[in-house]
Structure formats: structure tokens, C-alpha cells
Amino acid sequence: MTFIEPDGTRREVDAPLGLSIMEIAHKHDIDIEGACGGSLSCSTCHVIVDPAWFGKLPEPDEEEEDMLDLAFGLTRTSRLCCQLIMTEDLDGITVTLPEETHNFLLD
Ligand code: FES
């Protein structure tokens, strides 16, 4: 899969099936915070999904939607990547890191 950093740098990385996109980012030192460790109590794992891939993702549940509303720089294809689990269908997915994140946990 590919991460695009806020400055436009593309990072292609191995994406083992069954890991969340947040876990994959952490394995490769990609700068996604994920402050709550995937328990849907922050929005620091916000990513912008490439529109070509967005439709292949399972729908967000209500909790994710509520948290997403708090994400800084929300877009139509925003998701919380701790909720996105790698599957064969998502092989090759591209996500962009938003420019700024805002950690509501530390406020
Ligand atoms: S890591 Fe906190 S919601 Fe994803």
C-alpha cells in the first residue's frame, strides 16, 4: 500500500493482511499518531483515502463517524485508519496523511 505524506512524498510499504492501516503506518515509521491505540477515542489516525479506493472500504460505524467529525481537515473520503483492516481487496490502497492533526486527548 502507499502512504502519501503531507509534503507529497510517496511511501510504498508492505501491508500484511489483518493489520490495521494505523499499525502498518507505525511499523514503517509513518507519521500517524493514533493516540488512543485504536479505541476510537481520538481522531489522530485520520487519513484521506484515495477516492478510487474509498468505495472498497467497509462503511464506518457510528462511533467512527462521530470521532471523524472531530478530525481536523475532514474530507469526503476521510477515515480513521485504526479502523481500516488490510484485506486482499485493499491490496495497493493509497491514503494521504492530512496536513495537521489535532490531538483531542491532550487538550
Ligand atoms: S487511533 Fe484513536 S481513533 Fe484511531
Side-chain angles (χ1 to χ4, degrees), residues 5 9-10 21 26 37 40 45 47 71 74 78 88 92 100 105:
E5 297 182 338
T9 311
R10 294 177 73 92
I21 289 184
H26 287 171
L40 278 182
C45 63
V47 295
L74 191 69
S78 290
E88 266 170 50
E100 265 180 79
L105 277 183

Side-chain angles (χ1 to χ4, degrees), residues 22 34-45 80 82-83:
M22 180 182 81
C36 76
S39 58
L40 278 182
S41 4
C42 72
S43 55
T44 59
C45 63
L80 295 178
C82 66
Q83 302 302 305

Side-chain angles (χ1 to χ4, degrees), residues 74-88:
L74 191 69
T75 73
R76 250 178 356 99
T77 64
S78 290
R79 290 296 301 262
L80 295 178
C81 71
C82 66
Q83 302 302 305
L84 304 178
I85 306 297
M86 206 57 206
T87 60
E88 266 170 50

Side-chain angles (χ1 to χ4, degrees), residues 21-92:
I21 289 184
M22 180 182 81
E23 290 167 316
I24 295 167
H26 287 171
K27 257 168 86 85
H28 295 280
D29 287 326
I30 306 250
D31 193 18
I32 291 180
E33 191 175 333
C36 76
S39 58
L40 278 182
S41 4
C42 72
S43 55
T44 59
C45 63
H46 170 212
V47 295
I48 299 157
V49 179
D50 182 310
W53 289 94
F54 189 71
K56 297 191 206 270
L57 296 171
E59 299 271 312
D61 58 24
E62 220 174 287
E63 260 180 294
E64 183 184 343
E65 298 227 1
D66 287 350
M67 268 301 145
L68 258 178
D69 284 341
L70 304 176
F72 194 81
L74 191 69
T75 73
R76 250 178 356 99
T77 64
S78 290
R79 290 296 301 262
L80 295 178
C81 71
C82 66
Q83 302 302 305
L84 304 178
I85 306 297
M86 206 57 206
T87 60
E88 266 170 50
D89 283 351
L90 298 180
D91 187 23

